[in-house]
């Protein structure tokens, strides 16, 4: 028998549900400190939320997923449970609708914060991570979330690491994982590569240590191979428009042309540029290189420039740029453009004119080709740079075809080609085609699609991450040498070898000293007995880079399907039973990177035949941030963090759940306001008091109609995830019930069921106290009669000579004679019609009465 059937037929929380009588009784008060832990134990002991489903099952299913948390040492603050409460409401609601539900939780447990904390405290990150997970799990259980804890996973579990590494090897074998030298922000003092956001004024945000741009061997994932599909398949999902727009912008697909400029005196070829405006080619007045462009190395060599002074100027400029992050360069360039003339010239691909080549840090080496053709008349950045250095500005696109001299600003809109020789008079789109056709014929350009998206830098020079399952041959200088002893050797990074599947997982060595150092190879390079090994008499070296935290979160939703499977990451039957994810809830801050990376991995697995849907997450919802009472983001440094333990201790988990859902729309940003919690406490206590009073077996028509309208409203609001208005509707109905001497038993029972997804402990206790012996978790969701949701009696306006003079209450099916009698009986209407003839009486049933007198 399926778990749900067992729960509905026989299962209920043990002992806690065995009421001695079917009659309601009124305890002195609701004791959340006693009730909530009791029901949590009952749910766990009864395994009520264990997800059981077979592939091909006839019942509907819902896979409801939270973006799983990173278990920090600080534990949860009250902002974290907002999204978890929303998914729990949906999960409990779906179960009551007779739908199979998979609702799970796990831990994104690798990463930098745990390693930094471990370094500062001298404890191993495995130990701190285990303690943090225990704290998070206790807090989540304290809040009554209906997770299937039998499926709990942690990305640090070797059984999980095995399959993360296995997926990496599928990427490697498919040519999607490769090595490259990438310019990175290297901080020798911290011994690590820093993200752009971690570099301020050329120094590390943490500790203010010098940071240098330097090429470093990195593992890369070829996400650009999936750029088109990642953009196009967004049409398949139900996601917030803003998130879809962010992903499209991050991918940044643009159509244009790749154009080559020969460099006079450089024997190694030409400089290529990508532009979306090939129609402006005739307005190029200079070419700009990024400081990282390969040509700059030649320029700074002895034969590469016109003079030693120019070489030195370029060297100094490139060195200064190397101390800045990409973010800093773009921010600074927005204020003031800087650059240096190399003394070299490029040859215009159509006219043959010579244009100077500059180096400027507003061009980034990691974007496009690392070079741009500067058209200052029609690009704002180029215009500002040309103004700063007195470079020519030429108009080649006119809004109306007329010539204009001395442009005051760059004209960036479409128009008509001018000063463009054979292309004069062409409109922008026509000119684009004509210019590219000409370049193609000359062999100096072609049509090209470009992306802002760059391949994913996958390496981390850290300890606390999944080891990359690759090793390399080691060539010894001496036949009997031993690399572990420091004997001379060469590691052949150009010959990567995949670890055998049977040898997975490749686990981290138990390092006592896991601090980063000045060696970019990372701390694992110091674990020489782990790094170097012999096989068939030859020496090999393991990869010492580890995977980023993103790796484990790319596919965790798949492991939840079958977490105990040691033969494969998940079985086909488990996939068929639950995938795809029907509802995914998490913060908007993950709207690009995590979601883009997860979609990329999923599409690779799709191409390999391991998954059957092109997209993993059907519907996505972002919960809004809960701010501190000072309207600022919660943080320990601001001292505005609210600990959920304190709220639960004082008021109970149900009050916290209800309050967070009642604060406002789920997606909205809203401040925590402790003073408003009391309103929710009063609702809980009034509900408890009303439902434990003596109940009536009959229900009047007004109560029945209000009950059915409430069921309809709450049902629709839950489906729309409009939880605040659902709670408001229940509050209104409770006010009505509490005003009755003896509330109807049927209305009370249905209200308890409506409340249960929001306040499950309270609802379970009331269900028990109103005579039920098993959990309500799988009780059928209340239904409503549409006819009872429509009022039979309506209040409609009465007009006299076109002006509203009063209102009458009429039955929906009232006749014209009944409407006339009621309207003329109104005192205000009688005063205006006294002694006058009623020339016309207009009655639109349920809408309006209009009396024309004269």
């Amino acid at each position: 028998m399926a778990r749900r059937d067992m729960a509905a037929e026989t299962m209920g929380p043990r002992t806690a549900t065995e009421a001695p009588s079917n009659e309601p009784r009124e305890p002195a008060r609701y004791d959340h400190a006693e009730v909530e832990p009791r029901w949590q134990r009952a749910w766990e002991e009864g395994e009520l939320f264990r997800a059981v489903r077979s592939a091909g099952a006839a019942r509907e299913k819902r896979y409801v997923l939270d973006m799983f948390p990173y278990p920090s040492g600080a534990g949860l603050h009250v902002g974290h449970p907002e999204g978890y409460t929303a998914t729990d409401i949906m999960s409990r609601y779906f179960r009551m609708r007779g739908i199979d539900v998979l609702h799970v939780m796990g831990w994104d447990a690798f990463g930098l914060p745990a390693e930094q904390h471990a370094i500062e405290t001298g404890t191993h990150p495995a130990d701190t991570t285990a303690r943090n997970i225990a704290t998070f799990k206790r807090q989540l259980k304290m809040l009554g979330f209906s997770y299937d804890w039998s499926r709990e996973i942690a990305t640090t579990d070797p059984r999980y690491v095995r399959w993360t590494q296995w997926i990496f090897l599928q990427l490697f074998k498919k040519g999607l994982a490769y090595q490259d030298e990438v310019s990175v922000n290297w901080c020798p003092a911290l011994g690590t590569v820093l993200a752009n956001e971690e570099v301020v004024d050329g120094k590390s945000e943490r500790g203010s240590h010098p940071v240098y741009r330097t090429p470093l061997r990195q593992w890369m994932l070829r996400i650009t191979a999936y750029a088109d599909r990642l953009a196009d398949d967004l049409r398949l999902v139900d996601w917030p428009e803003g998130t879809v727009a962010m992903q499209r912008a991050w991918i940044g697909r643009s159509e244009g042309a790749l154009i080559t400029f020969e460099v006079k005196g450089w024997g190694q070829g030409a400089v290529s540029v990508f532009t979306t405006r090939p129609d402006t080619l005739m307005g190029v007045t200079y070419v700009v290189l990024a400081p990282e462009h390969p040509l700059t190395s030649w320029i700074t060599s002895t034969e590469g420039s016109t003079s030693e002074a120019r070489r030195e100027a370029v060297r100094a400029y490139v060195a200064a740029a190397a101390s800045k992050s990409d973010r800093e360069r773009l921010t600074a360039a927005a204020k003031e453009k800087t650059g240096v003339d190399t003394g070299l010239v490029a040859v215009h691909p159509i006219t043959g004119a010579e244009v100077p080549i500059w180096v400027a840090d507003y061009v980034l080496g990691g974007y496009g080709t690392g070079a741009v053709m500067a058209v200052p008349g029609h690009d704002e950045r180029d215009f500002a740079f040309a103004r700063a250095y007195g470079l020519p500005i030429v108009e080649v696109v006119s809004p109306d075809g007329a010539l204009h001299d001395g442009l005051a600003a760059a004209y960036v809109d479409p128009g008509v080609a001018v000063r463009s020789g054979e292309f004069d008079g062409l409109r922008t789109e026509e000119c684009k085609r004509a210019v590219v056709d000409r370049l193609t014929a000359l062999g100096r350009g072609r049509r090209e699609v470009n992306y802002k998206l760059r391949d994913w830098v996958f390496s981390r020079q850290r300890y606390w991450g999944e080891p990359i399952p690759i090793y390399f041959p080691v060539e010894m200088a001496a036949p009997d040498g031993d690399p572990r002893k420091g004997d001379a050797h060469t590691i052949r990074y150009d010959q990567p070898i995949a670890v055998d599947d049977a040898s997975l997982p490749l686990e981290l060595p138990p390092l006592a000293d896991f601090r980063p150092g000045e060696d970019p190879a990372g701390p694992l390079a110091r674990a020489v007995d782990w790094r170097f090994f012999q096989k068939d008499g030859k020496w090999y070296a393991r990869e010492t880079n580890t995977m980023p935290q993103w790796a484990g979160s790319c596919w965790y939703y798949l492991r939840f399907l079958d977490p105990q499977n040691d033969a494969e990451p998940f079985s086909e039957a488990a996939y068929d039973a639950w995938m795809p994810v029907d509802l995914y809830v998490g913060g908007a801050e993950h709207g690009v990177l995590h979601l883009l990376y997860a979609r990329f991995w999923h599409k690779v697995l799709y191409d390999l035949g391991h998954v059957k849907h092109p997209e993993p997450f059907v519907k996505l919802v972002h919960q809004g941030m809960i701010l501190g009472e000072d309207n600022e983001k919660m943080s320990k440094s601001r001292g505005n963090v609210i600990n959920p333990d304190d709220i639960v201790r004082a008021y109970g988990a149900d009050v916290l759940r209800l309050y967070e859902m009642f604060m406002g729309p789920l997606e909205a940003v809203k401040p925590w306001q402790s003073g408003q919690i009391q309103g929710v406490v009063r609702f809980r206590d009034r509900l408890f008091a009303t439902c434990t009073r003596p109940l009536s077996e009959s229900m009047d028509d007004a109560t029945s109609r209000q009950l059915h309208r409430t069921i309809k409203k709450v049902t629709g609001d839950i489906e729309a995830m409009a939880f605040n208005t659902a709670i408001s509707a229940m509050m209104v109905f409770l006010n009505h019930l509490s005003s009755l001497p003896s509330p109807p038993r049927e209305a009370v029972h249905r209200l308890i069921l409506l409340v249960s997804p929001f306040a499950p402990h309270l609802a379970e206790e009331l269900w028990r106290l109103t005579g039920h012996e098993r959990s309500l978790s799988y009780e059928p969701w209340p239904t409503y009669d549409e006819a009872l949701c429509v009022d039979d009696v309506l209040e409609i306006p009465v007009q006299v000579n076109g002006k509203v003079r009063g209102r009458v209450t009429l039955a929906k099916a009232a006749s014209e004679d009944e409407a006339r009698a009621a309207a003329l009986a109104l005192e205000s209407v009688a005063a205006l019609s006294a002694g006058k003839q009623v020339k016309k009486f207009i009655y639109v049933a349920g809408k309006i009465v209009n009396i024309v007198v004269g």
Side-chain angles (χ1 to χ4, degrees):
M1 182 179 290
R3 171 64 53 192
R4 180 170 294 97
D5 296 334
M6 292 174 65
E9 298 298 329
T10 62
M11 286 194 62
R14 303 170 187 171
T15 67
T17 60
E18 297 171 1
S21 168
N22 284 341
E23 288 303 312
R25 56 187 177 82
E26 185 174 358
R29 64 184 181 88
Y30 179 74
D31 184 1
H32 69 264
E34 185 277 326
V35 170
E36 291 180 350
R38 171 159 48 85
W39 279 103
Q40 290 161 16
R41 288 193 301 272
W43 294 331
E44 186 167 359
E45 291 170 4
E47 296 184 318
L48 256 65
F49 307 122
R50 193 180 183 99
V52 178
R53 178 180 174 82
S54 58
R59 297 163 65 101
E60 285 186 74
K61 68 88 182 175
R62 294 290 188 279
Y63 184 175
V64 181
L65 183 65
D66 299 293
M67 292 186 184
F68 69 168
Y70 177 82
S72 70
L76 297 174
H77 64 61
V78 293
H80 295 122
E82 182 185 18
Y84 307 151
T85 302
T87 57
D88 196 59
I89 290 169
M90 299 306 298
S91 297
R92 290 176 178 274
Y93 166 74
F94 289 140
R95 292 188 191 98
M96 296 174 75
R97 295 298 300 263
I99 297 170
D100 291 336
V101 174
L102 177 60
H103 189 36
V104 280
M105 178 51 66
W107 318 106
D108 191 10
F110 274 125
L112 178 60
E115 182 169 291
Q116 288 181 322
H117 182 265
I119 291 169
E120 291 168 358
T121 61
T123 51
H124 197 280
D127 298 332
T128 57
T129 299
R131 286 198 296 270
N132 296 346
I133 287 175
T135 298
F136 268 61
K137 187 172 182 179
R138 174 190 63 77
Q139 290 180 308
L140 292 178
K141 286 190 171 185
M142 169 189 76
L143 293 169
F145 297 135
S146 59
Y147 294 122
D148 178 356
W149 285 106
S150 71
R151 294 173 183 256
E152 177 186 6
I153 60 175
T155 57
T156 50
D157 185 333
R159 297 173 70 191
Y160 188 89
V161 170
R162 172 187 180 184
W163 297 112
T164 304
Q165 292 174 335
W166 178 85
I167 295 173
F168 173 85
L169 291 179
Q170 308 316 300
L171 291 158
F172 175 69
K173 293 169 186 176
K174 193 174 167 62
L176 296 171
Y178 66 97
Q179 297 175 91
D180 196 8
E181 278 207 346
V182 179
S183 184
V184 296
N185 303 312
W186 173 249
C187 178
L190 293 179
T192 187
V193 169
L194 299 177
N196 288 331
E197 293 77 11
E198 297 172 308
V199 182
V200 179
D201 296 329
K203 296 182 178 179
S204 62
E205 185 178 39
R206 183 183 183 88
S208 293
H209 302 294
V211 175
Y212 304 96
R213 296 287 288 182
T214 185
L216 192 64
R217 183 183 65 87
Q218 300 279 284
W219 278 97
M220 311 287 293
L221 297 189
R222 208 179 303 275
I223 190 173
T224 51
Y226 284 75
D228 278 331
R229 287 168 61 184
L230 288 168
D232 293 344
D233 286 356
L234 288 168
R235 72 187 189 282
L236 303 176
V237 297
D238 179 11
W239 286 17
E241 289 184 11
T243 302
V244 171
M246 282 194 298
Q247 289 227 347
R248 289 194 189 281
W250 191 268
I251 295 166
R253 186 182 192 276
S254 56
E255 297 182 4
L258 188 70
I259 304 174
T260 56
F261 287 75
E262 294 293 332
V263 179
K264 291 193 70 173
W266 189 33
Q268 301 183 37
V271 170
S272 296
V273 304
F274 175 82
T275 178
T276 59
R277 293 293 304 270
D279 59 300
T280 66
L281 177 60
M282 306 304 279
V284 173
T285 60
Y286 59 100
V287 169
V288 187
L289 307 177
E292 303 86 3
H293 195 280
L295 180 53
T296 61
S297 297
W298 181 76
I299 291 170
T300 56
S301 67
T302 54
E303 73 275 13
S305 191
T306 54
S307 69
E308 177 58 34
R310 287 197 185 277
R311 284 196 294 272
E312 186 54 42
V314 174
R315 282 193 201 104
Y317 190 84
V318 170
S323 67
K324 302 176 185 176
S325 70
D326 290 352
R327 184 183 183 187
E328 277 187 289
R329 284 163 57 175
L330 292 176
T331 301
K335 300 175 182 176
E336 180 185 7
K337 298 290 189 294
T338 64
V340 60
D341 186 357
T342 67
L344 296 180
V345 295
V347 180
H348 193 285
I350 291 180
T351 69
E354 295 182 354
V355 295
I357 298 177
W358 285 66
V359 174
D361 64 4
Y362 77 87
V363 179
L364 302 178
Y367 292 84
T369 64
V372 300
M373 62 178 213
V375 186
H378 306 287
D379 182 276
E380 292 172 347
R381 295 186 312 164
D382 297 342
F383 184 90
F385 190 87
R387 276 285 184 89
Y389 290 97
L391 295 165
I393 299 173
V394 180
E395 178 195 41
V396 293
V397 181
S398 168
D400 52 9
L403 298 178
H404 306 87
D405 293 319
L407 293 177
Y411 177 72
V412 298
D413 294 327
V416 179
V418 296
R419 298 186 181 90
S420 297
E422 63 190 276
F423 308 109
D424 277 355
L426 297 180
R427 305 292 303 182
T428 293
E429 289 306 315
E430 186 181 7
C431 190
K432 286 181 180 180
R433 291 191 293 271
V435 170
V436 177
D437 288 344
R438 184 84 170 101
L439 290 167
T440 302
L442 293 169
R444 296 166 188 162
R446 65 175 184 270
R447 286 181 176 80
E448 179 121 333
V449 174
N450 196 33
Y451 302 91
K452 289 183 181 177
L453 182 67
R454 291 291 169 264
D455 280 347
W456 177 7
V457 180
F458 197 68
S459 297
R460 295 296 183 271
Q461 295 70 43
R462 300 192 178 283
Y463 172 71
W464 194 236
E466 299 93 337
I468 293 175
I470 296 290
Y471 60 98
F472 308 93
V474 176
E475 295 178 351
M476 301 303 304
D480 58 348
D482 185 340
R484 297 172 301 178
K485 298 177 180 178
D487 295 342
H489 65 276
T490 301
I491 299 175
R492 295 300 305 269
Y493 290 113
D494 59 331
Q495 299 177 26
I497 304 168
V499 172
D500 291 337
D501 289 355
S503 299
L504 299 178
L506 174 60
E507 296 189 54
L508 288 169
L511 280 184
D513 180 10
F514 39 80
R515 293 171 299 175
E518 294 190 7
D519 184 354
L524 286 180
R526 298 195 294 269
V528 292
D529 290 333
W530 175 87
R531 184 186 191 186
F532 296 105
F533 65 96
Q534 281 187 305
K535 181 180 178 181
D536 299 327
K538 297 180 180 180
W539 282 103
Y540 296 91
R542 303 189 196 279
E543 174 60 74
T544 57
N545 285 324
T546 53
M547 298 187 196
Q549 188 174 352
W550 304 108
S553 63
C554 272
W555 75 283
Y556 71 108
Y557 61 93
L558 291 168
R559 187 60 175 173
F560 276 135
L561 306 175
D562 202 6
Q564 308 308 321
N565 192 337
D566 288 329
E568 52 192 338
F570 51 88
S571 70
E572 183 177 13
Y575 183 95
D576 290 342
W578 293 111
M579 281 298 287
V581 176
D582 298 285
L583 175 62
Y584 195 24
V585 176
E589 66 273 17
H590 302 299
V592 175
L593 294 183
H594 158 62
L595 288 169
L596 200 64
Y597 294 156
R599 293 178 63 222
F600 166 48
W601 277 35
H602 190 88
K603 289 182 184 302
V604 174
L605 294 174
Y606 178 79
D607 289 349
L608 294 172
H610 298 295
V611 301
K612 302 179 181 180
H613 300 87
E615 288 289 327
F617 313 120
V618 175
K619 182 177 178 63
L620 173 70
V621 173
H622 296 308
Q623 80 275 11
M625 184 181 296
I626 293 181
L627 305 175
E629 294 196 80
D630 55 1
N631 275 290
E632 298 287 342
K633 183 178 179 180
M634 287 192 188
S635 69
K636 288 196 296 183
S637 62
R638 291 191 179 96
N640 63 352
V641 172
I642 307 292
N643 190 326
D645 288 359
D646 297 334
I647 303 300
V648 171
R649 190 179 302 112
Y651 307 110
D654 285 340
V655 165
L656 178 59
R657 292 169 60 118
L658 284 164
Y659 173 64
E660 294 208 352
M661 295 299 98
F662 191 56
M663 291 173 73
L666 179 64
E667 298 87 351
V669 176
K670 39 209 175 274
W672 180 271
Q673 296 176 292
S674 297
Q676 294 188 358
I677 295 178
Q678 287 301 328
V680 175
V681 173
R682 287 192 294 272
F683 169 66
R684 179 200 66 187
D685 292 345
R686 183 181 299 158
L687 179 65
F688 185 77
T690 300
C691 294
T692 52
R693 284 161 48 192
L695 305 179
S696 169
E697 301 303 325
S698 61
M699 182 160 47
D700 63 273
D701 183 69
T703 301
S704 179
R705 289 181 178 279
Q706 190 165 346
L707 169 63
H708 282 261
R709 285 196 296 269
T710 302
I711 295 172
K712 179 180 180 180
K713 172 67 173 168
V714 172
T715 301
D717 284 350
I718 290 178
E719 291 280 356
M721 300 183 74
F723 304 123
N724 57 322
T725 53
I727 295 170
S728 180
M730 290 186 287
M731 287 178 169
V732 170
F733 185 54
L734 176 61
N735 288 340
H736 173 76
L737 288 185
S738 62
S739 69
L740 301 177
S742 182
R745 184 183 301 277
E746 179 186 352
V748 165
H749 285 181
R750 293 197 184 189
L751 179 57
I752 292 170
L753 294 174
L754 293 178
V755 168
S756 64
F758 299 83
H761 311 87
L762 171 65
E764 290 275 26
E765 187 69 0
L766 288 173
W767 196 243
R768 179 180 76 86
L769 293 174
T770 53
H772 301 87
E773 295 184 355
R774 62 173 182 260
S775 168
L776 53 66
S777 296
Y778 294 93
E779 286 293 318
W781 184 254
T783 57
Y784 58 89
D785 184 341
E786 186 65 50
L788 294 176
C789 296
V790 180
D791 282 326
D792 283 342
V793 179
L794 301 172
E795 185 180 71
I796 62 175
V798 178
Q799 293 182 344
V800 177
N801 291 343
K803 293 186 177 180
V804 175
R805 300 298 185 180
R807 294 178 179 276
V808 292
T809 301
L810 295 170
K812 191 175 181 182
S815 67
E816 184 174 321
D817 289 342
E818 291 171 326
R820 177 189 290 265
L824 293 175
L826 285 175
E827 186 176 328
S828 57
V829 174
L832 291 171
S833 61
K836 298 178 182 178
Q837 180 185 0
V838 177
K839 292 184 174 182
K840 186 181 289 187
F841 182 84
I842 302 168
Y843 171 51
V844 180
K847 301 288 186 181
I848 197 167
V849 170
N850 190 9
I851 303 170
V852 180
V853 299

